[in-house]
């Protein structure tokens, strides 16, 4: 079992140990797992290549560390507790023994479909137990899973499938989300018109919606699984064999396929889960994320299951049937650890405290937040009204690229401070650097957040593009991993994350590249060019503000164009990228060399044009005047 820290003194001791000798520290953690063959070198790395390898030549299968290692002790214990969207539908639970059998059956199914070690399997599914089963079945046979969030459009799905040439697609007839049904199979069919690599589509029956089944390509899940054995030998994997790909947005270009490998990710997700949440045997743990994001990978599936935990999966949304849904679930299953995003907290706070009336929430021991900075008001509401002043809040800072939590309180151990992610976990060496990459030592400093030493969960590459991996994370500042976030370290040495310093925006905890949204907008036939920036949004944290230059207006007039631009982005990327505000402008503020001065647009979007900074390089001052006049928000001048 994974080691657990119990006291502040214990944390300080572990931390010092981990920094003095990271390799010994992580080797000690890795000893807690079952390896078919032990590794012979703990770490090999350089941040120039970059090349990072952990537990070299170790052989293992991650799923053996979930199942075989633990079945004797807790085969009958619940592994997955599933709460459906509709409160009238029956819940499902799978014990470790049952989950094991399902994973093996599906692993055998994949094998029968010709999936081999190293093949990529795309997964586009709703939040049902079969989604978790698919990930584990891939891991069982060494297939590389690539989960695509079920809110993405056909175009976005196709782009991701093609980038890593997936062989099989797992999907469902549809997905329930509150009162709506997402027609997943229909969207997948559209995507597959441009995906040559997909040989087979396995379709789970979930909503009972009518779907087209393409003869020779599509098969029903239940039919495919029928008759498969519940035994499937675990494929031997090298520590550095790929476990999964997960796409995320960057500041430029197309989405990046973040690659995580087997040994390091296993050790890191398990270690951080147990420590951050202080999970104890028997606890019920509930993370509200979707498995389509890294939070779901690491802290619904892998981290909890590697610790033999009971992990709760919820199919629905926080506001349906009403804004008390999370709290009903907490009471129903006596949830002990609850992990959600600031945007969810803010949206529930905005609905008022009536929805908390009559809810006990007495089982809660730990509250967590992730995905974006949490504002103090939301922090206090969460702490006082949900946690009843007795649950520590773990504000966990991390990224798709980091595999697991990096900077966070350890629940009940690290003294918290509202809106501070507090201190690095053992083994993590964050630093703050100035614009030139000079490390700012001591306390009370602010700058760019970097990490100066590898940890087992760090991404190893971008699928098919190692050069871009280097460029994005290791080239801005020499010898450091650059996170893209700004941070400050206060007088107590506590870290506060200030948000992205690049052209990435964070909308409701979803990470989006402004360039990606601009590309989608520019596909509109009337659009000449566009620039997208974030603006402060009460619920979403950041909203999307698009400045758009059109050649001419269509018959629908301005209102019509705005609407069709928003629809276009929804179609091309998905509803999460839909601009909140679209302003048609005569031109964009550009420098004489043609570079868009985003700083000015950000100021306008933030509603404060009192200090636009240096505008001497501006080509046309008039444009700025017009932008301010036509702004979609009130602007102070
Ligand atoms: C970006 C990573 C890690 C899972 C969810 C998002 C922001 C994440 C926090 C936090 C302030 C946070 C950062 C980061 N972020 N957690 N606790 N406080 N900001 O994963 O999509 O890879 O996004 O989310 O800006 O870089 P992601």
């Amino acid at each position: 079992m994974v080691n657990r820290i119990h006291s502040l003194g214990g944390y300080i001791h572990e931390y010092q140990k981990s920094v003095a000798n990271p390799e010994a520290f992580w080797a000690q953690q890795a000893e807690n797992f079952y390896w078919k063959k032990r590794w012979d070198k703990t770490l090999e790395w350089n941040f120039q290549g970059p090349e990072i390898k952990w537990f070299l030549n170790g052989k293992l299968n991650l799923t053996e560390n979930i199942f075989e290692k633990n079945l004797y002790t807790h085969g009958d214990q619940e592994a997955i507790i599933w709460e459906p969207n509709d409160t009238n539908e029956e819940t499902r639970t799978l014990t470790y023994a049952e989950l094991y059998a399902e994973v093996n059956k599906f692993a055998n199914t994949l094998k029968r479909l010709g999936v081999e070690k190293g093949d990529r399997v795309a997964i586009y599914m709703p939040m049902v137990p079969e989604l978790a089963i698919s990930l584990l079945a891939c891991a069982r046979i060494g297939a590389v899973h690539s989960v695509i969030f079920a809110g993405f459009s056909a175009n976005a799905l196709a782009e991701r499938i093609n980038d890593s040439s997936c062989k099989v697609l797992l999907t469902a007839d549809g997905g329930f989300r509150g009162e709506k049904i997402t027609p997943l199979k229909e969207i997948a069919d559209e995507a597959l018109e441009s995906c040559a690599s997909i040989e087979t589509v396995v379709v789970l029956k979930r909503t009972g919606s009518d779907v087209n089944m393409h003869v020779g390509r599509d098969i029903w899940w239940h039919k495919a699984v029928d008759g498969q054995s519940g035994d499937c030998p675990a494929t031997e994997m090298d520590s550095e064999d790929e476990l999964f790909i997960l796409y995320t947005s960057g500041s430029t270009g197309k989405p990046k396929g973040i690659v995580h490998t087997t040994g390091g990710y296993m050790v890191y997700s398990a270690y951080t889960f147990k420590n951050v949440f202080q999970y104890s045997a028997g606890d019920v743990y509930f993370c509200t994320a979707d498995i389509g994001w890294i939070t779901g990978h690491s802290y619904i599936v892998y981290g909890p299951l590697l610790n033999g935990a009971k992990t709760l999966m919820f199919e629905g949304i926080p506001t349906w049937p009403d804004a008390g849904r999370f709290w009903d679930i907490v009471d129903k299953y006596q949830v002990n650890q609850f992990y959600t995003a600031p945007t969810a907290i803010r949206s529930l706070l905005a609905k008022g405290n009536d929805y908390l009336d009559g809810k006990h929430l007495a089982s809660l021991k730990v509250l967590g937040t992730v995905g974006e900075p949490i504002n103090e008001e939301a922090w206090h509401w969460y702490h006082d009204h949900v946690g009843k002043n007795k649950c520590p809040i773990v504000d966990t800072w991390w990224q798709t690229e980091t595999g697991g939590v990096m900077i966070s309180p350890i629940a009940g151990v690290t003294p918290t401070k509202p809106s501070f992610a507090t201190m690095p976990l053992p083994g993590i060496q964050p630093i703050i650097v100035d614009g030139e990459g000079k490390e700012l030592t001591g306390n009370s400093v602010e700058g760019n957040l970097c990490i100066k030493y590898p940890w087992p969960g760090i991404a190893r590459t971008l699928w098919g593009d190692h050069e871009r991996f280097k460029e994005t994370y290791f080239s801005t500042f020499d010898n450091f991993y650059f996170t893209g976030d700004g941070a400050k370290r206060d007088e107590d040495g506590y870290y506060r994350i200030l948000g992205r310093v690049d052209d990435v925006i964070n909308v409701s905890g979803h990470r989006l590249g402004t360039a990606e949204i601009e590309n989608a907008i520019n596909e509109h036939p009337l659009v000449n060019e566009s620039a997208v920036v974030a603006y402060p949004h009460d619920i979403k944290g950041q909203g999307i503000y698009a400045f758009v230059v059109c050649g001419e207006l269509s018959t629908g007039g301005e209102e019509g164009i705005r609407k069709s631009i928003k629809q276009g982005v929804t179609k091309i990327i998905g509803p999460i990228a839909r601009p909140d505000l679209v302003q048609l402008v005569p031109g964009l503020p550009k420098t004489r060399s043609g570079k868009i001065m985003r700083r000015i647009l950000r100021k306008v979007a933030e509603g404060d044009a009192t200090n636009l900074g240096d505008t001497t390089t501006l080509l046309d001052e008039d444009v700025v005047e017009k932008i301010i006049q036509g702004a979609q928000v009130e602007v102070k001048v």
Side-chain angles (χ1 to χ4, degrees):
M1 277 294 133
V2 175
N3 295 351
R4 199 170 80 181
I5 292 164
H6 293 278
S7 64
L8 189 57
Y11 160 72
I12 295 168
H13 177 76
E14 283 293 279
Y15 188 77
Q16 285 168 348
K17 215 171 70 176
S18 77
V19 172
N21 191 343
E23 293 173 46
F25 174 80
W26 288 115
Q28 193 196 342
Q29 305 312 323
E31 296 286 0
N32 294 310
F33 295 84
Y34 168 66
W35 299 78
K36 288 178 191 283
K37 180 188 157 289
R38 195 189 184 275
W39 62 97
D40 41 51
K41 191 170 180 209
T42 305
L43 171 66
E44 224 172 68
W45 72 287
N46 69 73
F47 277 172
Q48 289 81 47
E51 194 187 356
I52 306 144
K53 289 181 177 164
W54 281 93
F55 313 118
L56 284 85
N57 298 317
K59 306 290 175 200
L60 75 158
N61 185 289
L62 187 151
T63 67
E64 287 190 324
N65 282 283
I66 294 177
F67 299 118
E68 277 86 342
K69 185 164 164 273
N70 298 318
L71 282 176
Y72 295 109
T73 48
H74 52 254
D76 293 336
Q77 189 207 280
E78 291 135 312
I80 293 178
I81 302 169
W82 177 72
E83 168 75 5
N85 179 58
D86 188 333
T87 47
N88 296 317
E89 191 181 336
E90 252 183 71
T91 66
R92 272 170 75 186
T93 59
L94 289 149
T95 64
Y96 274 84
E98 288 163 347
L99 180 62
Y100 179 54
E102 293 301 324
V103 167
N104 281 339
K105 275 189 199 168
F106 200 64
N108 282 324
T109 306
L110 290 174
K111 273 192 184 167
R112 194 183 60 85
L113 296 172
V115 176
E116 292 174 7
K117 181 176 169 182
D119 285 345
R120 276 80 59 209
V121 173
I123 304 177
Y124 184 64
M125 285 183 64
M127 279 287 285
V128 291
E130 285 78 4
L131 170 55
I133 290 166
S134 331
L135 271 64
L136 298 168
C138 288
R140 187 79 181 167
I141 62 169
V144 182
H145 58 73
S146 170
V147 184
I148 296 117
F149 172 61
F152 277 118
S153 69
N155 175 78
L157 173 61
E159 189 177 17
R160 287 159 178 76
I161 288 175
N162 289 335
D163 185 74
S164 46
S165 35
C166 298
K167 191 168 182 177
V168 169
L169 170 67
L170 313 178
T171 188
D173 52 358
F176 291 116
R177 266 183 69 78
E179 278 173 324
K180 294 192 194 133
I181 286 184
T182 315
L184 297 175
K185 177 63 165 62
E186 200 182 301
I187 300 169
D189 283 340
E190 191 188 329
L192 294 185
E193 283 170 22
S194 56
C195 299
S197 61
I198 295 286
E199 293 169 8
T200 311
V201 183
V202 185
V203 188
L204 181 79
K205 224 181 207 101
R206 174 66 191 121
T207 55
S209 315
D210 258 342
V211 296
N212 290 318
M213 294 294 277
H214 290 233
V215 180
R217 187 194 74 185
D218 303 352
I219 49 169
W220 287 105
W221 188 290
H222 56 277
K223 289 200 178 140
V225 172
D226 191 39
Q228 291 297 329
S229 155
D231 276 321
C232 176
T235 299
E236 181 170 300
M237 306 292 286
D238 186 87
S239 294
E240 287 299 336
D241 280 339
E242 292 105 353
L243 178 65
F244 65 85
I245 305 170
L246 187 58
Y247 286 87
T248 189
S249 299
S251 50
T252 54
K254 60 186 178 99
K256 306 178 284 197
I258 306 290
V259 175
H260 283 288
T261 59
T262 307
Y265 178 82
M266 172 182 77
V267 171
Y268 198 66
S269 61
Y271 177 81
T272 50
F273 171 74
K274 182 143 182 187
N275 279 287
V276 169
F277 296 101
Q278 292 287 299
Y279 185 86
S280 309
D283 284 349
V284 177
Y285 161 87
F286 175 21
C287 166
T288 70
D290 192 289
I291 292 175
W293 311 112
I294 191 71
T295 307
H297 281 59
S298 299
Y299 299 114
I300 294 178
V301 181
Y302 289 114
L305 295 177
L306 283 162
N307 280 287
K310 300 180 189 177
T311 178
L312 199 153
M313 245 181 109
F314 172 44
E315 182 185 31
I317 56 172
T319 48
W320 193 78
D322 64 42
R325 186 69 193 274
F326 281 167
W327 323 131
D328 287 335
I329 297 174
V330 168
D331 281 349
K332 179 172 174 185
Y333 300 98
Q334 295 291 293
V335 169
N336 303 109
Q337 290 89 6
F338 178 75
Y339 191 27
T340 196
T343 187
I345 299 169
R346 286 191 298 264
S347 76
L348 297 178
L349 177 162
K351 302 259 178 197
N353 292 346
D354 289 359
Y355 293 101
L356 283 160
D357 283 352
K359 321 282 165 167
H360 298 287
L361 307 179
S363 55
L364 289 172
K365 296 196 285 194
V366 175
L367 299 175
T369 115
V370 61
E372 48 181 318
I374 179 164
N375 49 310
E376 297 204 19
E377 187 193 4
W379 194 97
H380 284 293
W381 184 81
Y382 199 30
H383 187 261
D384 299 352
H385 295 279
V386 179
K388 316 281 186 208
N389 290 306
K390 66 174 174 52
C391 304
I393 294 182
V394 291
D395 177 354
T396 62
W397 174 82
W398 59 295
Q399 313 178 292
T400 305
E401 294 85 343
T402 69
V405 175
M406 301 284 283
I407 303 180
S408 167
I410 292 178
V413 167
T414 318
T416 59
K417 217 186 256 193
S419 77
F420 279 77
T422 75
M423 310 259 256
L425 295 185
I428 303 307
Q429 302 187 37
I431 55 169
I432 293 180
V433 304
D434 68 12
E436 272 71 56
K438 190 165 98 27
E439 180 172 353
L440 303 173
T441 53
N443 290 340
S444 306
V445 292
E446 186 177 319
N448 303 299
L449 182 63
C450 294
I451 316 286
K452 74 169 171 198
Y453 200 88
W455 62 100
I458 188 175
R460 303 298 196 261
T461 190
L462 297 182
W463 185 265
D465 201 347
H466 197 66
E467 203 41 48
R468 187 171 175 208
F469 183 61
K470 174 177 176 167
E471 177 64 33
T472 310
Y473 306 104
F474 301 94
S475 301
T476 318
F477 303 113
D478 275 350
N479 283 319
F480 304 135
Y481 166 83
F482 176 43
T483 65
D485 281 315
K488 80 172 198 188
R489 193 165 50 229
D490 77 356
E491 60 285 359
D492 299 323
Y494 269 37
Y495 286 86
R496 180 180 189 148
I497 309 302
L498 301 169
R500 303 289 306 196
V501 295
D502 52 10
D503 288 323
V504 167
I505 61 180
N506 194 324
V507 181
S508 301
H510 299 310
R511 178 168 155 186
L512 296 162
T514 51
E516 212 180 329
I517 305 173
E518 287 160 10
N519 289 342
I521 294 174
N522 296 348
E523 290 205 12
H524 190 287
L526 297 176
V527 170
N528 290 348
E529 60 176 340
S530 62
V532 166
V533 297
Y535 72 100
H537 189 287
D538 284 347
I539 306 288
K540 299 178 174 188
Q542 293 189 319
I544 303 173
Y545 194 137
F547 296 89
V548 181
V549 183
C550 287
E552 57 188 287
L553 295 189
S554 68
T555 47
E558 268 201 47
E559 201 42 54
I561 292 199
R562 279 204 208 109
K563 206 167 145 207
S564 64
I565 286 173
K566 290 180 186 179
Q567 282 166 348
V569 177
T570 304
K571 177 98 185 76
I572 294 169
I573 305 176
I576 54 174
R578 184 177 196 271
D580 299 277
L581 302 172
V582 176
Q583 180 184 354
L584 304 187
V585 295
L588 297 170
K590 289 188 180 170
T591 61
R592 275 171 247 279
S593 57
K595 206 166 162 330
I596 298 172
M597 293 179 81
R598 286 172 185 280
R599 180 170 52 80
I600 292 178
L601 296 174
R602 276 189 213 113
K603 285 272 183 198
V604 174
E606 285 161 12
D608 182 7
T610 50
N611 178 13
L612 290 180
D614 182 7
T615 51
T616 49
T617 53
L618 205 57
L619 182 65
D620 179 2
E621 299 243 6
D622 226 30
V623 160
V624 177
E625 223 19 72
K626 293 205 174 99
I627 289 176
I628 293 172
Q629 277 161 17
Q632 299 288 295
V633 293
E634 218 175 290
V635 184
K636 258 199 288 172
V637 283

